[in-house]
Amino acid sequence: MSIQIPRGTQDILPGTVEKWQYIEEKAKEICKLYNYKEIRTPMFEHTELFLRGVGDTTDIVQKEMYSFEDRGGRSITLRPEGTASAVRSFVENKLYGNPQQPTKLFYIGPMFRYERPQAGRFRQFVQFGVEALGSNDPSIDAEVIALAVDLYKSLGLKNLKVVINSLGDKESRDAHRQALVNHFKPRITEFCGDCQSRLEKNPLRILDCKKDRDHELMGTAPSILEYLNDDSKQYFDKVVKFLSDLGIQYEIDANLVRGLDYYYHTAFEIMSTSEGFGSITTLCGGGRYNGLVQEIGGPETPGIGFALSIERLLSAMEAENVSFPFEDKIDCYVVALGEEAKEASVKVLYDLRKAGIVAEKDYQNKKLKAQFKAADRLQASYTVVFGDDELNKGVVSVKTMETGEQEEVSFSELVTYISEKKSGER
């Protein structure tokens, strides 16, 4: 019986995983510049966390969560997103009590959603995200967006579009909510079942419907920007001013809504405008969630964040033909001939590695020619060759693979010799 990988998952193999590692390291470098600290939360949480934090009217909760009952009868869910878990940890560990605020966090890890697999979308996928908790300053909204833009640009992406909207404060959102109900209710039976159920629970989500996006009422729906009160307008004006100050180009889209229930004020997405990237152009989404901490049991604390899929980021880099600035090669390959030499090669290899030299040798008793072929495949810069006779003399032959030059070096000086060749000192 052949056992295959579950649908919607993937094996990330050597040769590809290095790309993931490069992106993850670049993300950590950017976060260090912005003073965001890493947080690692469990891959599963109590289901109630996502019911309260993500919202029971969202597609994530209604259709996509991997939930199960554990042996203790508790409902457990594999995390579908990272914000709720980060906020739960913020509350549980009383990070709001730290003297340095806002609390600025980032995470990288697998998330799980049961949805139809398609290009760049998996049932297990990896998200990178940031959360800034404890500030109502619109400048931190701009900072979070700038962090995402800086990450994409640092990875070589050029075809980017920042789209932003304001969902307003509670007063503005409630007024807009009622206007949407009045707009859609007379003809709601023309919409899909999901939209019909959303009408009273969360009418804003109708605007995010993929099935009915071309319905004529979508184009004439009331804009949230028409219902922003003065405080919300002033807040939004400051956010976009800061973006302009930072040289970040943006578009305002009054129909941009986020799929989660906890967003207020700023909502944004970053999209790829590359040809061939696909019909789903969103790379990153986020916004401000000023009621989430209270919903999870903490004190009144504002927050803002975003999340992006590493898989979609890789697809965007591929669409723009971005190359990765690293080589899959080693420093040195040890070729040993004869039983005594093969035994001695174990210690030679270990000493090279201790000195920071990436080294490898044959483990399959290959002939001399096959070992040199292996060195070529691994793109070794140097080969160290010795047999039993050389071992008795205490010398090895070091070959520079690029030029073909060979030099005899004593065993005692080998590590220093390779180290100096590697650093360009010889």
Side-chain angles (χ1 to χ4, degrees), residues 258-302:
R258 301 294 301 145
L260 308 180
D261 284 356
Y262 47 61
Y263 283 107
Y264 287 93
H265 285 301
T266 307
F268 69 92
E269 290 183 355
I270 299 177
M271 301 176 179
S272 170
T273 58
S274 296
E275 290 186 15
F277 179 60
S279 59
I280 302 174
T281 59
T282 302
L283 291 172
C284 161
R288 179 166 282 281
Y289 46 86
N290 284 1
L292 181 57
V293 176
Q294 300 95 296
E295 185 65 33
I296 294 177
E300 184 175 345
T301 307

Side-chain angles (χ1 to χ4, degrees), residues 351-424:
D351 289 342
L352 289 167
R353 289 167 173 168
K354 280 180 64 179
I357 296 166
V358 182
E360 188 56 280
K361 77 177 191 72
D362 169 55
Y363 294 94
Q364 296 179 310
N365 293 318
K366 292 179 179 178
K367 302 293 185 182
L368 177 63
K369 187 176 180 181
Q371 291 191 52
F372 273 107
K373 282 185 177 180
D376 284 335
R377 280 195 301 271
L378 293 170
Q379 301 180 62
S381 299
Y382 308 98
T383 55
V384 174
V385 186
F386 64 95
D388 292 348
D389 289 344
E390 288 80 10
L391 184 63
N392 292 330
K393 294 177 184 177
V395 296
V396 299
S397 175
V398 178
K399 180 179 180 180
T400 302
M401 299 296 279
E402 185 178 1
T403 63
E405 293 181 12
Q406 287 192 206
E407 192 168 347
E408 194 173 84
V409 180
S410 69
F411 266 98
S412 60
E413 295 179 355
L414 175 61
V415 172
T416 301
Y417 178 86
I418 296 292
S419 296
E420 290 178 352
K421 290 278 281 186
K422 182 182 173 183
S423 64

Side-chain angles (χ1 to χ4, degrees), residues 148-157 160 270 283-284 308 313:
V149 171
D150 280 357
L151 174 59
Y152 286 128
K153 288 185 175 179
S154 73
L155 290 167
L157 292 182
L160 300 171
I270 299 177
L283 291 172
C284 161
L308 62 86
L313 171 51

Side-chain angles (χ1 to χ4, degrees), residues 60-71:
I60 292 175
V61 169
Q62 291 184 345
K63 302 176 182 179
E64 299 173 2
M65 293 204 312
Y66 279 95
S67 299
F68 59 93
E69 193 173 279
D70 68 8
R71 293 185 179 183

